[in-house]
């Protein structure tokens, strides 16, 4: 796991597949996504230098984002937070629906799966459920933005006071040319495009994605240009 400081309050945690983020308010930390299973101790150690992990907010249930949530919660006492649609999957009560792959996405997905730990992962028994428009107590007020399409309960988090947006996998960055694009492996592409448009309409200076380097300046302009190329509107 690599740790990259993006802003004085914000660090990126990079894993073999995907990434998570740590946001700091004083000595209290919020983890946005938790990476795959097996990294909980390293995440807790990275956070310990600055404070305690108060909560883990999951943008969606996929293993590369939720796999480490229970590990972090067990080590730190953190609350696990997810959209109400996603929570039963996060808790392991029901299976999550698989993506509807486009043909070109299949080899990408197969390669990603090879990099993930085998054998499943522990599920948190307690999950705090949120819905669109809820405001979480960090970052000056982090608004939950329901962004379905990648999964039914995917969410983004918008820290309007700081101009920071965490998109989860609703938006991504191409590993080929570094361009911002619609996230891949979606359950419903049309809904994903509509969600992209909604996120692009937010006032954003810094955009943090589940995959790919963040955009750290004028991110709203970058998101809008990409979203419009898909025919998305806010």
């Amino acid at each position: 796991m690599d740790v990259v400081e993006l802003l004085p309050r914000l660090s990126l945690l990079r894993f073999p597949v995907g990434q998570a983020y740590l946001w700091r308010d004083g000595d209290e930390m919020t983890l946005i996504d938790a990476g795959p299973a097996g990294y909980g101790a390293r995440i807790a150690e990275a956070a310990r230098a600055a404070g305690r992990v108060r909560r883990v907010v999951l943008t969606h249930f996929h293993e590369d984002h939720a796999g480490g949530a229970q590990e972090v919660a067990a080590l730190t006492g953190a609350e696990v937070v997810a959209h109400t649609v996603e929570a039963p999957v996060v808790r392991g009560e029901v299976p999550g629906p698989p993506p509807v792959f486009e043909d070109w996405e299949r080899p990408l997905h197969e390669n990603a799966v090879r990099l993930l730990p085998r054998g499943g992962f522990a599920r948190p028994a307690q999950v705090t459920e949120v819905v669109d428009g809820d405001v979480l107590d960090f970052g000056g007020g982090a608004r939950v933005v329901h962004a379905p399409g990648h999964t039914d309960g995917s969410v983004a988090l918008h820290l309007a006071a700081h101009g920071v947006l965490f998109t989860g996998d609703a938006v991504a960055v191409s590993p080929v040319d570094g361009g911002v694009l619609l996230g891949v492996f979606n359950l419903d592409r049309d809904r994903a495009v509509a969600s992209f448009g909604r996120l692009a309409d937010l006032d954003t200076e810094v955009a943090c994605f589940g995959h790919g380097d963040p955009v750290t300046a004028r991110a709203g302009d970058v998101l809008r240009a990409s979203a419009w190329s898909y025919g998305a509107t806010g």
Side-chain angles (χ1 to χ4, degrees):
M1 183 185 82
D2 297 324
V3 181
V4 180
E5 183 177 300
L6 301 174
L7 300 171
R9 291 185 173 193
L10 177 62
S11 296
L12 178 155
L13 310 180
R14 183 174 285 127
F15 309 100
V17 178
Q19 52 211 29
Y21 297 88
L22 272 172
W23 179 271
R24 180 172 61 83
D25 290 298
D27 63 354
E28 186 172 279
M29 310 290 288
T30 296
L31 180 66
I32 297 94
D33 286 327
Y39 291 91
R42 277 172 276 188
I43 292 171
E45 182 62 29
R48 193 171 293 123
R52 71 183 187 95
V53 181
R54 168 67 180 79
R55 64 183 67 79
V56 181
V57 185
L58 301 177
T59 62
H60 61 291
F61 72 82
H62 287 159
E63 182 178 352
D64 54 328
H65 294 259
Q70 174 56 24
E71 295 174 15
V72 174
L75 288 167
T76 66
E79 171 188 30
V80 178
V81 180
H83 190 274
T84 189
V85 171
E86 215 82 345
V89 185
V90 171
R91 290 191 294 261
E93 297 167 359
V94 297
V100 178
F101 294 113
E102 299 186 34
D103 288 343
W104 64 269
E105 292 178 326
R106 293 183 185 279
L108 298 178
H109 185 261
E110 291 168 1
N111 184 62
V113 168
R114 283 195 290 268
L115 296 173
L116 290 171
R118 297 183 182 276
F121 56 94
R123 304 281 187 163
Q126 301 294 323
V127 177
T128 299
E129 300 184 17
V130 294
V131 296
D132 185 61
D134 284 349
V135 178
L136 303 178
D137 186 21
F138 75 95
R143 183 164 67 93
V144 176
V145 183
H146 188 205
H150 184 65
T151 66
D152 287 332
S154 285
V155 297
L157 297 169
H158 187 221
L159 281 57
H162 300 276
V164 175
L165 176 67
F166 300 95
T167 72
D169 282 0
V171 189
V173 170
S174 168
V176 177
D177 61 11
V180 171
L181 43 72
L182 181 72
V184 297
F185 312 153
N186 294 308
L187 182 63
D188 185 324
R189 190 179 189 278
D190 289 343
R191 294 181 81 196
V193 169
S195 292
F196 192 178
R198 186 182 184 197
L199 298 182
D201 200 42
L202 299 172
D203 186 8
T204 303
E205 180 70 14
V206 176
C208 300
F209 314 112
H211 301 269
D213 291 337
V215 175
T216 56
R218 302 188 61 169
D221 292 341
V222 175
L223 292 175
R224 281 186 286 276
S226 180
W228 290 338
S229 74
Y230 291 93
T233 57

